[in-house]
Amino acid sequence: MATIEECRAALGKLSDNMQGAEGDARAAAALDRSVSCHITDLDVTFAGRMTGGRIEVDGTHPGPPREKAQIGLAMAGDDLVSLVAGELNFASAWGTGRVRLDASLLDLFRLRKLL
C-alpha cells in the first residue's frame, strides 16, 4: 500500500508532467480549477488548485474532501502511483471503477487529452 508521502510525490510528478505537456494536453493542463484527490485506502484527501499548468497542493486532511472541488479524483494510493508511472491506463481504471473522476462535462472533455 502506497504511503501518504508516495502519493504526494506522485501528485508532484503529475504536476511536473503537466508542466511539460504540449499541444492539446498543454491546453488541458492550463485549466484553472479547484482540485481534490481522495486516497481511499488511506482515507486522506489532497486539496489544491490546478493552475498555470501545475497542480498546487494546498493541504492534506483526513477523510473525504471537505468541499466539492471542480475536479475531484478518488482512488487507492497504489493506483495513483501506477497511473503517474504509466503502469495503469486511466481509461481502463476509470471504466472499471478503480478511479473516480468528478468534473463538469466540459472539463471531462479537456482532461481526456491530459489523462
Side-chain angles (χ1 to χ4, degrees):
M1 179 165 69
T3 66
I4 291 175
E5 293 78 20
E6 289 170 323
C7 292
R8 182 178 291 279
L11 287 171
K13 183 175 181 196
L14 176 60
S15 182
D16 292 344
N17 292 346
M18 289 171 51
Q19 187 74 34
E22 296 179 3
D24 289 342
R26 184 165 186 77
L31 291 172
D32 184 11
R33 302 286 189 271
S34 60
V35 177
S36 69
C37 183
H38 182 223
I39 307 301
T40 56
D41 55 338
L42 298 174
D43 197 26
V44 66
T45 297
F46 294 92
R49 189 144 201 97
M50 179 187 295
T51 185
R54 296 192 58 80
I55 297 173
E56 303 293 335
V57 175
D58 296 331
T60 306
H61 62 269
R66 294 178 180 164
E67 298 177 8
K68 181 173 172 47
Q70 290 169 303
I71 298 173
L73 290 164
M75 68 193 81
D78 287 340
D79 288 339
L80 173 62
V81 171
S82 295
L83 279 169
V84 173
E87 300 165 356
L88 179 63
N89 178 277
F90 179 82
S92 62
W94 183 55
T96 60
R98 288 175 65 178
V99 173
R100 289 186 318 242
L101 174 62
D102 181 29
S104 72
L105 188 58
L106 183 58
D107 286 344
L108 286 173
F109 282 124
R110 290 179 181 154
L111 290 171
R112 72 179 166 82
K113 296 172 184 156
L114 185 61
L115 302 170

XYZ file of all heavy atoms in Angstrom:
846
model
N 0.848 -1.177 0.000
C 0.000 0.000 0.000
C 0.894 1.241 0.000
O 1.825 1.347 0.784
C -0.904 -0.018 1.237
C -1.799 1.188 1.323
S -3.178 1.047 2.496
C -2.366 1.046 4.055
N 0.582 2.171 -0.900
C 1.355 3.408 -1.007
C 1.161 4.259 0.256
O 0.091 4.256 0.864
C 0.910 4.199 -2.229
N 2.189 4.990 0.619
C 2.128 5.876 1.781
C 1.647 7.262 1.355
O 1.606 7.584 0.161
C 3.517 6.011 2.430
O 4.387 6.682 1.504
C 4.093 4.653 2.815
N 1.336 8.091 2.340
C 0.939 9.472 2.051
C 2.066 10.192 1.326
O 1.826 10.939 0.374
C 0.546 10.208 3.356
C -0.751 9.629 3.900
C 0.419 11.708 3.115
C -1.166 10.192 5.253
N 3.301 9.954 1.734
C 4.449 10.601 1.097
C 4.597 10.166 -0.361
O 4.898 10.978 -1.233
C 5.741 10.304 1.870
C 5.794 10.919 3.258
C 4.976 10.160 4.315
O 4.650 8.953 4.109
O 4.626 10.780 5.328
N 4.376 8.880 -0.640
C 4.451 8.393 -2.017
C 3.333 9.003 -2.875
O 3.555 9.338 -4.044
C 4.373 6.864 -2.051
C 5.618 6.191 -1.507
C 5.440 4.693 -1.311
O 4.336 4.251 -0.918
O 6.421 3.964 -1.559
N 2.157 9.169 -2.299
C 1.044 9.783 -3.027
C 1.337 11.260 -3.298
O 1.087 11.750 -4.406
C -0.261 9.633 -2.249
S -0.845 7.915 -2.154
N 1.873 11.958 -2.314
C 2.234 13.364 -2.515
C 3.304 13.482 -3.610
O 3.230 14.358 -4.468
C 2.727 13.998 -1.225
C 3.052 15.489 -1.403
C 3.504 16.148 -0.119
N 2.468 16.266 0.866
C 1.535 17.218 0.879
N 1.500 18.103 -0.084
N 0.646 17.281 1.838
N 4.274 12.578 -3.595
C 5.319 12.584 -4.623
C 4.722 12.300 -6.000
O 5.125 12.910 -6.999
C 6.403 11.560 -4.286
N 3.748 11.387 -6.071
C 3.102 11.077 -7.353
C 2.343 12.293 -7.870
O 2.393 12.593 -9.069
C 2.161 9.880 -7.194
N 1.671 13.014 -6.997
C 0.978 14.233 -7.420
C 1.981 15.281 -7.894
O 1.726 16.001 -8.858
C 0.114 14.788 -6.286
C -1.156 14.002 -5.987
C -1.816 14.520 -4.716
C -2.122 14.068 -7.157
N 3.127 15.355 -7.240
C 4.186 16.265 -7.680
C 4.700 15.894 -9.051
O 4.927 16.767 -9.905
N 4.871 14.600 -9.295
C 5.341 14.146 -10.611
C 4.281 14.412 -11.676
O 4.612 14.836 -12.788
C 5.698 12.664 -10.573
C 6.255 12.174 -11.889
C 6.716 10.743 -11.838
C 7.283 10.389 -13.209
N 7.425 8.987 -13.403
N 3.017 14.201 -11.339
C 1.934 14.506 -12.271
C 1.954 15.990 -12.617
O 1.817 16.373 -13.785
C 0.581 14.112 -11.677
C -0.654 14.474 -12.506
C -0.612 13.796 -13.866
C -1.914 14.102 -11.749
N 2.160 16.817 -11.626
C 2.244 18.259 -11.852
C 3.414 18.606 -12.771
O 3.276 19.415 -13.693
C 2.386 18.984 -10.510
O 2.425 20.375 -10.699
N 4.564 17.976 -12.541
C 5.729 18.196 -13.411
C 5.434 17.757 -14.845
O 5.813 18.435 -15.800
C 6.952 17.435 -12.888
C 7.478 17.994 -11.579
O 7.118 19.136 -11.223
O 8.247 17.283 -10.909
N 4.754 16.614 -14.994
C 4.394 16.111 -16.324
C 3.448 17.074 -17.032
O 3.570 17.307 -18.235
C 3.737 14.732 -16.234
C 4.682 13.650 -15.774
O 5.900 13.836 -15.751
N 4.137 12.522 -15.380
N 2.510 17.643 -16.281
C 1.575 18.599 -16.856
C 2.306 19.847 -17.341
O 1.988 20.395 -18.390
C 0.509 18.987 -15.832
C -0.478 17.888 -15.546
S -1.570 18.247 -14.152
C -2.191 19.852 -14.554
N 3.289 20.277 -16.579
C 4.057 21.476 -16.925
C 4.760 21.301 -18.268
O 4.886 22.243 -19.029
C 5.090 21.773 -15.837
C 5.815 23.079 -16.008
C 4.953 24.277 -15.662
O 4.130 24.214 -14.784
N 5.140 25.361 -16.361
N 5.170 20.075 -18.576
C 5.886 19.803 -19.819
C 4.997 19.356 -20.968
O 5.496 19.021 -22.033
N 3.675 19.359 -20.765
C 2.755 18.902 -21.814
C 2.784 19.850 -23.008
O 3.101 21.030 -22.884
C 1.337 18.813 -21.249
N 2.443 19.287 -24.161
C 2.415 20.072 -25.400
C 1.083 19.867 -26.106
O 0.354 18.919 -25.825
C 3.561 19.641 -26.316
C 4.930 19.913 -25.727
C 6.062 19.447 -26.635
O 5.786 18.961 -27.740
O 7.214 19.570 -26.212
N 0.754 20.747 -27.038
C -0.442 20.618 -27.867
C -1.721 20.644 -27.060
O -1.904 21.468 -26.171
N -2.649 19.707 -27.392
C -3.950 19.647 -26.720
C -3.807 19.359 -25.227
O -4.580 19.853 -24.417
C -4.832 18.567 -27.356
C -5.317 18.960 -28.735
O -5.268 20.161 -29.068
O -5.742 18.056 -29.481
N -2.815 18.557 -24.872
C -2.591 18.243 -23.459
C -2.178 19.495 -22.701
O -2.560 19.686 -21.542
C -1.535 17.149 -23.315
N -1.411 20.360 -23.325
C -0.995 21.606 -22.671
C -2.208 22.497 -22.407
O -2.312 23.123 -21.349
C 0.037 22.344 -23.504
C 0.556 23.593 -22.819
C 1.828 24.098 -23.504
N 2.436 25.179 -22.818
C 3.172 25.097 -21.720
N 3.382 23.928 -21.162
N 3.702 26.158 -21.168
N -3.127 22.556 -23.358
C -4.349 23.345 -23.170
C -5.177 22.795 -22.012
O -5.728 23.556 -21.215
C -5.167 23.363 -24.455
N -5.256 21.472 -21.893
C -5.989 20.857 -20.787
C -5.296 21.147 -19.458
O -5.945 21.405 -18.445
C -6.103 19.351 -21.002
N -3.968 21.121 -19.448
C -3.210 21.378 -18.225
C -3.332 22.823 -17.776
O -3.109 23.133 -16.616
C -1.737 21.011 -18.432
N -3.697 23.727 -18.685
C -3.768 25.150 -18.373
C -5.078 25.547 -17.692
O -5.291 26.724 -17.421
C -3.559 25.964 -19.636
N -5.943 24.599 -17.406
C -7.188 24.918 -16.707
C -6.892 25.551 -15.351
O -5.868 25.274 -14.729
C -8.006 23.637 -16.477
C -8.611 22.965 -17.697
C -9.211 21.619 -17.301
C -9.660 23.849 -18.327
N -7.806 26.378 -14.886
C -7.709 26.957 -13.551
C -8.918 26.440 -12.769
O -10.031 26.949 -12.922
C -7.703 28.484 -13.629
C -7.517 29.135 -12.261
O -7.181 28.423 -11.294
O -7.721 30.355 -12.160
N -8.691 25.386 -11.978
C -9.784 24.722 -11.268
C -9.336 24.284 -9.874
O -8.168 23.950 -9.657
C -10.232 23.454 -12.017
C -10.698 23.667 -13.437
C -12.076 24.308 -13.455
N -12.631 24.334 -14.780
C -12.454 25.319 -15.659
N -11.707 26.361 -15.339
N -13.014 25.275 -16.840
N -10.291 24.230 -8.952
C -10.021 23.608 -7.658
C -9.966 22.100 -7.871
O -10.672 21.559 -8.729
C -11.092 23.973 -6.634
O -12.367 23.550 -7.065
N -9.090 21.435 -7.125
C -8.859 20.001 -7.306
C -8.801 19.314 -5.946
O -8.260 19.857 -4.984
C -7.508 19.755 -8.042
C -7.221 18.283 -8.183
C -7.500 20.422 -9.398
N -9.367 18.110 -5.888
C -9.172 17.256 -4.715
C -8.853 15.854 -5.190
O -9.324 15.424 -6.241
C -10.411 17.242 -3.813
O -11.468 16.569 -4.428
N -8.033 15.168 -4.434
C -7.692 13.783 -4.726
C -7.819 12.992 -3.432
O -6.988 13.133 -2.524
C -6.273 13.689 -5.296
S -5.820 11.997 -5.746
N -8.885 12.201 -3.338
C -9.124 11.389 -2.147
C -8.461 10.033 -2.337
O -8.777 9.316 -3.291
C -10.624 11.237 -1.906
C -10.947 10.467 -0.672
N -11.921 9.514 -0.638
C -10.422 10.502 0.577
C -11.985 8.999 0.577
N -11.075 9.580 1.320
N -7.538 9.713 -1.464
C -6.863 8.414 -1.483
C -7.674 7.501 -0.561
O -7.619 7.616 0.664
C -5.388 8.531 -1.031
C -4.652 9.607 -1.833
C -4.701 7.182 -1.122
C -4.638 9.380 -3.339
N -8.456 6.638 -1.179
C -9.469 5.885 -0.454
C -8.914 4.915 0.576
O -9.467 4.795 1.671
C -10.385 5.144 -1.442
O -9.583 4.307 -2.290
C -11.177 6.118 -2.293
N -7.824 4.224 0.253
C -7.308 3.232 1.194
C -6.607 3.884 2.393
O -6.525 3.290 3.464
C -6.404 2.211 0.516
C -5.249 2.821 -0.241
O -5.322 4.009 -0.616
O -4.257 2.111 -0.486
N -6.126 5.102 2.233
C -5.505 5.836 3.341
C -6.498 6.778 4.011
O -6.207 7.330 5.072
C -4.303 6.652 2.835
C -3.155 5.861 2.225
C -2.109 6.808 1.649
C -2.538 4.931 3.258
N -7.659 6.960 3.389
C -8.695 7.897 3.830
C -8.102 9.279 4.120
O -8.260 9.836 5.200
C -9.468 7.364 5.029
C -10.786 8.114 5.224
O -11.318 8.651 4.229
O -11.275 8.175 6.372
N -7.424 9.800 3.112
C -6.829 11.132 3.189
C -7.117 11.856 1.880
O -7.226 11.224 0.827
C -5.309 11.050 3.469
C -4.557 10.429 2.316
C -4.718 12.400 3.804
N -7.283 13.164 1.945
C -7.560 13.966 0.762
C -6.493 15.038 0.599
O -6.161 15.741 1.552
C -8.955 14.632 0.853
O -9.943 13.607 0.899
C -9.215 15.544 -0.332
N -5.976 15.136 -0.617
C -5.090 16.230 -1.011
C -5.986 17.256 -1.694
O -6.712 16.911 -2.632
C -4.011 15.752 -1.988
C -3.051 14.782 -1.387
C -3.274 13.416 -1.478
C -1.922 15.222 -0.725
C -2.392 12.507 -0.930
C -1.026 14.322 -0.169
C -1.259 12.967 -0.268
N -5.953 18.487 -1.247
C -6.777 19.542 -1.829
C -5.873 20.649 -2.353
O -4.843 20.952 -1.754
C -7.738 20.099 -0.786
N -6.271 21.223 -3.473
C -5.466 22.294 -4.029
C -6.087 22.888 -5.261
O -7.307 22.920 -5.410
N -5.237 23.310 -6.164
C -5.677 24.017 -7.356
C -4.829 23.610 -8.557
O -3.621 23.465 -8.434
C -5.556 25.511 -7.130
C -6.181 26.339 -8.196
C -6.816 27.588 -7.600
N -7.809 28.086 -8.522
C -9.093 27.846 -8.451
N -9.568 27.133 -7.471
N -9.927 28.326 -9.331
N -5.490 23.422 -9.694
C -4.797 23.242 -10.961
C -4.743 24.629 -11.581
O -5.784 25.237 -11.867
C -5.566 22.287 -11.876
C -4.898 22.081 -13.224
S -5.904 21.110 -14.382
C -5.952 19.527 -13.576
N -3.550 25.155 -11.741
C -3.390 26.489 -12.297
C -2.013 26.639 -12.921
O -1.048 26.036 -12.430
C -3.625 27.574 -11.224
O -3.565 28.857 -11.816
C -2.618 27.497 -10.093
N -1.934 27.388 -13.990
C -0.649 27.620 -14.632
C 0.023 26.358 -15.122
O 1.245 26.283 -15.176
N -0.771 25.327 -15.454
C -0.197 24.079 -15.944
C 0.377 23.201 -14.851
O 1.107 22.260 -15.126
N 0.031 23.479 -13.607
C 0.538 22.693 -12.477
C -0.591 22.387 -11.501
O -1.613 23.053 -11.507
C 1.638 23.446 -11.735
C 2.871 23.701 -12.560
C 4.049 24.180 -11.728
N 4.450 23.270 -10.673
C 5.202 22.170 -10.842
N 5.607 21.834 -12.046
N 5.536 21.414 -9.819
N -0.355 21.406 -10.650
C -1.251 21.134 -9.536
C -0.532 21.613 -8.283
O 0.562 21.125 -7.962
C -1.576 19.636 -9.408
C -2.326 19.146 -10.644
C -2.401 19.390 -8.141
C -2.540 17.650 -10.670
N -1.126 22.566 -7.608
C -0.572 23.084 -6.359
C -1.387 22.516 -5.208
O -2.566 22.845 -5.064
C -0.621 24.616 -6.341
C 0.098 25.290 -7.489
C 1.609 25.099 -7.447
O 2.154 24.883 -6.344
O 2.232 25.153 -8.516
N -0.786 21.647 -4.403
C -1.475 21.061 -3.253
C -1.396 22.051 -2.102
O -0.314 22.407 -1.643
C -0.866 19.702 -2.857
C -1.523 19.172 -1.596
C -1.009 18.700 -3.998
N -2.572 22.519 -1.654
C -2.640 23.495 -0.557
C -2.667 22.820 0.805
O -2.244 23.405 1.790
C -3.881 24.368 -0.696
C -3.871 25.214 -1.948
O -2.776 25.567 -2.422
O -4.969 25.522 -2.454
N -3.212 21.608 0.853
C -3.311 20.949 2.142
C -3.711 19.498 2.024
O -4.163 19.040 0.971
N -3.522 18.799 3.106
C -3.884 17.393 3.227
C -4.694 17.253 4.500
O -4.318 17.822 5.534
C -2.620 16.518 3.315
O -1.775 16.808 2.199
C -2.962 15.049 3.304
N -5.791 16.531 4.421
C -6.585 16.316 5.621
C -7.192 14.907 5.617
O -7.369 14.325 4.552
C -7.666 17.390 5.772
C -8.654 17.408 4.665
N -8.507 18.183 3.545
C -9.808 16.725 4.497
C -9.522 17.986 2.739
N -10.326 17.110 3.288
N -7.479 14.391 6.801
C -8.068 13.050 6.873
C -9.495 13.053 6.340
O -10.190 14.066 6.397
C -8.037 12.726 8.369
C -7.901 14.031 9.060
C -7.254 14.977 8.110
N -9.894 11.920 5.805
C -11.256 11.735 5.341
C -11.485 12.209 3.921
O -10.560 12.611 3.225
N -12.751 12.160 3.503
C -13.106 12.589 2.151
C -12.977 14.105 2.014
O -12.793 14.807 3.018
C -14.563 12.134 2.009
C -15.078 12.045 3.396
C -13.902 11.683 4.263
N -13.106 14.622 0.795
C -12.993 16.075 0.603
C -13.981 16.835 1.470
O -15.137 16.429 1.617
C -13.320 16.266 -0.884
C -13.063 14.948 -1.511
C -13.355 13.926 -0.456
N -13.522 17.933 2.051
C -14.385 18.763 2.897
C -15.305 19.631 2.062
O -16.396 19.979 2.482
C -13.527 19.637 3.811
C -12.755 18.817 4.816
C -11.883 19.681 5.682
N -11.160 18.839 6.640
C -10.115 19.241 7.305
N -9.636 20.461 7.136
N -9.517 18.424 8.148
N -14.834 20.026 0.891
C -15.620 20.833 -0.038
C -15.587 20.169 -1.405
O -14.626 19.505 -1.741
C -15.022 22.233 -0.173
C -15.001 23.031 1.099
C -14.330 24.379 0.918
O -14.008 24.758 -0.227
O -14.114 25.053 1.929
N -16.630 20.395 -2.177
C -16.667 19.840 -3.529
C -15.721 20.657 -4.406
O -15.879 21.855 -4.562
C -18.079 19.886 -4.091
C -18.186 19.300 -5.481
C -19.623 19.211 -5.910
C -19.822 18.816 -7.336
N -19.089 17.707 -7.841
N -14.739 19.976 -4.975
C -13.798 20.617 -5.892
C -14.373 20.580 -7.306
O -15.209 19.733 -7.627
C -12.454 19.903 -5.859
N -13.899 21.480 -8.155
C -14.350 21.488 -9.545
C -13.881 20.232 -10.271
O -14.558 19.754 -11.172
C -13.843 22.742 -10.249
C -14.530 23.996 -9.742
C -13.857 25.251 -10.228
O -12.674 25.461 -9.998
N -14.628 26.103 -10.901
N -12.724 19.707 -9.866
C -12.231 18.430 -10.387
C -11.900 17.557 -9.183
O -11.031 17.902 -8.376
C -10.987 18.616 -11.268
C -11.327 19.471 -12.493
C -10.422 17.257 -11.699
C -10.137 19.860 -13.329
N -12.619 16.466 -9.049
C -12.405 15.561 -7.929
C -11.991 14.181 -8.404
O -12.600 13.632 -9.318
N -10.952 13.662 -7.796
C -10.482 12.309 -8.081
C -10.580 11.489 -6.806
O -10.401 12.015 -5.711
C -9.029 12.325 -8.538
C -8.738 12.910 -9.908
C -7.256 13.212 -10.047
C -9.175 11.923 -10.977
N -10.810 10.201 -6.955
C -10.786 9.277 -5.822
C -10.232 7.953 -6.326
O -10.650 7.456 -7.378
C -12.181 9.085 -5.243
N -9.268 7.419 -5.585
C -8.642 6.150 -5.963
C -7.775 5.661 -4.814
O -7.508 6.403 -3.875
C -7.790 6.327 -7.222
C -6.549 7.178 -7.007
S -5.759 7.693 -8.526
C -6.779 9.065 -8.974
N -7.309 4.428 -4.918
C -6.356 3.887 -3.958
C -4.978 4.496 -4.227
O -4.667 4.891 -5.357
C -6.293 2.368 -4.073
N -4.160 4.576 -3.208
C -2.823 5.145 -3.346
C -1.969 4.420 -4.372
O -1.268 5.053 -5.165
N -2.014 3.092 -4.373
C -1.235 2.328 -5.352
C -1.665 2.648 -6.778
O -0.834 2.689 -7.693
C -1.364 0.819 -5.102
C -0.603 0.354 -3.876
O 0.311 1.080 -3.426
O -0.926 -0.738 -3.371
N -2.969 2.889 -6.983
C -3.448 3.230 -8.320
C -2.940 4.607 -8.745
O -2.573 4.798 -9.909
C -4.975 3.173 -8.385
C -5.497 1.742 -8.336
O -4.716 0.805 -8.649
O -6.674 1.551 -7.991
N -2.895 5.565 -7.834
C -2.345 6.883 -8.155
C -0.887 6.763 -8.578
O -0.479 7.291 -9.616
C -2.462 7.833 -6.963
C -1.771 9.188 -7.124
C -2.370 9.981 -8.274
C -1.839 9.973 -5.819
N -0.108 6.044 -7.805
C 1.314 5.859 -8.115
C 1.470 5.163 -9.470
O 2.291 5.569 -10.296
C 2.017 5.082 -6.976
C 3.425 4.695 -7.360
C 2.012 5.915 -5.691
N 0.668 4.127 -9.729
C 0.747 3.394 -11.000
C 0.312 4.239 -12.191
O 0.913 4.160 -13.265
C -0.111 2.128 -10.936
O 0.407 1.228 -9.990
N -0.735 5.057 -12.006
C -1.180 5.944 -13.086
C -0.084 6.917 -13.485
O 0.216 7.079 -14.665
C -2.416 6.738 -12.653
C -3.755 6.046 -12.744
C -4.831 6.864 -12.036
C -4.148 5.823 -14.188
N 0.514 7.551 -12.498
C 1.541 8.559 -12.778
C 2.789 7.916 -13.385
O 3.431 8.494 -14.250
C 1.872 9.363 -11.502
C 3.048 10.292 -11.727
C 0.652 10.160 -11.060
N 3.083 6.689 -12.980
C 4.251 5.981 -13.515
C 3.990 5.417 -14.915
O 4.913 4.905 -15.551
C 4.657 4.850 -12.570
N 2.745 5.489 -15.382
C 2.416 4.969 -16.705
C 2.163 3.474 -16.726
O 2.091 2.864 -17.790
N 1.996 2.885 -15.559
C 1.771 1.442 -15.457
C 0.288 1.073 -15.465
O -0.050 -0.094 -15.615
C 2.421 0.914 -14.175
C 3.916 1.152 -14.137
C 4.504 0.971 -12.745
O 3.742 0.735 -11.775
O 5.727 1.098 -12.627
N -0.574 2.058 -15.271
C -2.017 1.831 -15.234
C -2.661 2.818 -16.205
O -2.397 4.017 -16.147
C -2.562 2.050 -13.817
C -4.058 1.884 -13.601
C -4.502 0.450 -13.905
C -4.424 2.237 -12.151
N -3.495 2.299 -17.091
C -4.181 3.124 -18.076
C -5.376 3.805 -17.414
O -6.226 3.133 -16.820
C -4.626 2.252 -19.247
C -5.383 3.028 -20.279
O -6.587 3.245 -20.137
N -4.689 3.447 -21.318
N -5.439 5.142 -17.545
C -6.515 5.890 -16.900
C -7.885 5.448 -17.384
O -8.792 5.230 -16.583
C -6.355 7.402 -17.118
C -7.468 8.177 -16.478
C -7.424 8.480 -15.131
C -8.583 8.555 -17.211
C -8.460 9.160 -14.526
C -9.624 9.238 -16.616
C -9.560 9.545 -15.269
N -8.060 5.329 -18.699
C -9.378 4.993 -19.246
C -9.888 3.654 -18.721
O -11.053 3.536 -18.332
C -9.324 4.989 -20.770
N -9.026 2.652 -18.681
C -9.480 1.344 -18.188
C -9.709 1.379 -16.679
O -10.647 0.759 -16.185
C -8.499 0.240 -18.580
O -7.237 0.460 -18.017
N -8.877 2.123 -15.946
C -9.073 2.233 -14.492
C -10.378 2.961 -14.189
O -11.116 2.586 -13.276
C -7.887 2.950 -13.854
N -10.677 3.996 -14.969
C -11.920 4.745 -14.793
C -13.114 3.875 -15.183
O -14.116 3.832 -14.482
C -11.861 6.021 -15.623
C -13.036 6.916 -15.494
C -13.566 7.437 -14.346
C -13.859 7.405 -16.552
N -14.642 8.230 -14.632
C -14.846 8.232 -15.982
C -13.828 7.238 -17.930
C -15.806 8.878 -16.744
C -14.791 7.897 -18.690
C -15.762 8.701 -18.091
N -12.988 3.150 -16.287
C -14.065 2.298 -16.771
C -14.421 1.169 -15.818
O -15.569 0.735 -15.764
N -13.441 0.694 -15.072
C -13.693 -0.405 -14.128
C -13.997 0.090 -12.712
O -14.220 -0.717 -11.822
C -12.482 -1.360 -14.073
O -11.327 -0.628 -13.656
C -12.236 -2.017 -15.419
N -13.990 1.402 -12.518
C -14.328 1.958 -11.215
C -13.166 2.077 -10.242
O -13.360 2.467 -9.095
N -11.968 1.743 -10.677
C -10.806 1.874 -9.788
C -10.472 3.338 -9.537
O -9.925 3.686 -8.493
C -9.591 1.169 -10.383
C -9.704 -0.335 -10.326
C -8.566 -1.021 -11.011
N -7.278 -0.811 -10.374
C -6.155 -1.360 -10.804
N -6.166 -2.144 -11.861
N -5.027 -1.131 -10.181
N -10.804 4.181 -10.505
C -10.589 5.621 -10.396
C -11.926 6.304 -10.620
O -12.641 5.982 -11.569
C -9.574 6.117 -11.454
C -9.486 7.633 -11.455
C -8.209 5.506 -11.217
N -12.273 7.220 -9.731
C -13.482 8.021 -9.907
C -13.063 9.449 -10.228
O -12.166 10.000 -9.587
C -14.338 7.986 -8.650
C -14.988 6.640 -8.426
C -15.944 6.676 -7.260
N -15.412 7.422 -6.130
C -15.168 6.915 -4.928
N -15.418 5.656 -4.699
N -14.685 7.663 -3.974
N -13.715 10.033 -11.207
C -13.441 11.400 -11.621
C -14.755 12.151 -11.642
O -15.715 11.724 -12.286
C -12.791 11.418 -13.018
C -12.569 12.775 -13.671
C -11.617 13.639 -12.846
C -12.013 12.583 -15.081
N -14.798 13.259 -10.918
C -15.988 14.089 -10.854
C -15.606 15.471 -11.374
O -14.778 16.156 -10.763
C -16.495 14.159 -9.416
C -17.747 14.997 -9.288
O -18.525 15.079 -10.259
O -17.963 15.577 -8.200
N -16.169 15.844 -12.520
C -15.878 17.140 -13.131
C -17.024 17.492 -14.068
O -17.837 16.636 -14.422
C -14.558 17.076 -13.905
N -17.068 18.751 -14.479
C -18.090 19.157 -15.440
C -17.835 18.453 -16.770
O -16.719 17.993 -17.046
C -18.060 20.671 -15.642
O -16.909 21.044 -16.389
N -18.852 18.392 -17.593
C -18.720 17.740 -18.893
C -17.631 18.406 -19.736
O -16.812 17.727 -20.352
C -20.062 17.753 -19.624
C -20.141 16.953 -20.908
C -19.792 15.493 -20.658
C -21.532 17.065 -21.510
N -17.590 19.725 -19.732
C -16.568 20.444 -20.491
C -15.167 20.113 -19.974
O -14.249 19.869 -20.755
C -16.820 21.952 -20.421
C -15.865 22.834 -21.221
C -15.880 22.475 -22.695
C -16.229 24.296 -21.027
N -15.007 20.074 -18.649
C -13.704 19.723 -18.085
C -13.325 18.281 -18.403
O -12.155 17.984 -18.651
C -13.678 19.955 -16.574
C -13.605 21.431 -16.216
O -13.280 22.258 -17.091
O -13.880 21.766 -15.039
N -14.294 17.376 -18.413
C -14.018 15.982 -18.773
C -13.451 15.881 -20.185
O -12.490 15.164 -20.431
C -15.276 15.123 -18.660
C -15.738 14.769 -17.263
C -17.082 14.062 -17.300
C -14.706 13.907 -16.560
N -14.044 16.632 -21.117
C -13.536 16.622 -22.494
C -12.114 17.154 -22.552
O -11.271 16.632 -23.283
C -14.446 17.432 -23.422
C -15.696 16.710 -23.816
C -16.941 17.284 -23.574
C -15.648 15.460 -24.418
C -18.102 16.620 -23.939
C -16.797 14.795 -24.784
C -18.032 15.376 -24.538
N -11.827 18.197 -21.799
C -10.469 18.766 -21.790
C -9.479 17.806 -21.124
O -8.371 17.623 -21.591
C -10.461 20.109 -21.082
C -11.152 21.186 -21.856
C -11.125 22.486 -21.088
N -11.801 23.545 -21.805
C -12.358 24.591 -21.229
N -12.314 24.725 -19.921
N -12.934 25.505 -21.944
N -9.891 17.229 -19.999
C -8.998 16.360 -19.243
C -8.660 15.060 -19.959
O -7.601 14.495 -19.740
C -9.600 16.058 -17.873
C -9.643 17.218 -16.903
C -10.466 16.852 -15.669
C -8.238 17.643 -16.499
N -9.547 14.593 -20.814
C -9.255 13.327 -21.518
C -7.988 13.454 -22.353
O -7.282 12.482 -22.573
C -10.435 12.869 -22.351
C -10.699 13.693 -23.588
C -11.884 13.165 -24.380
N -12.310 14.120 -25.353
C -11.748 14.289 -26.542
N -10.746 13.522 -26.903
N -12.181 15.212 -27.369
N -7.671 14.646 -22.812
C -6.444 14.868 -23.581
C -5.216 14.782 -22.686
O -4.142 14.453 -23.142
C -6.501 16.221 -24.277
C -7.608 16.311 -25.296
C -7.769 17.701 -25.822
C -8.963 17.718 -26.775
N -9.546 19.028 -26.902
N -5.421 15.091 -21.439
C -4.314 15.087 -20.488
C -4.120 13.715 -19.868
O -3.002 13.285 -19.639
C -4.595 16.120 -19.388
C -3.529 16.370 -18.353
C -2.257 16.889 -19.013
C -4.023 17.370 -17.340
N -5.213 13.023 -19.614
C -5.150 11.746 -18.920
C -5.113 10.609 -19.916
O -4.734 9.541 -19.652
C -6.336 11.605 -17.976
C -6.444 12.701 -16.918
C -7.766 12.607 -16.201
C -5.297 12.595 -15.925
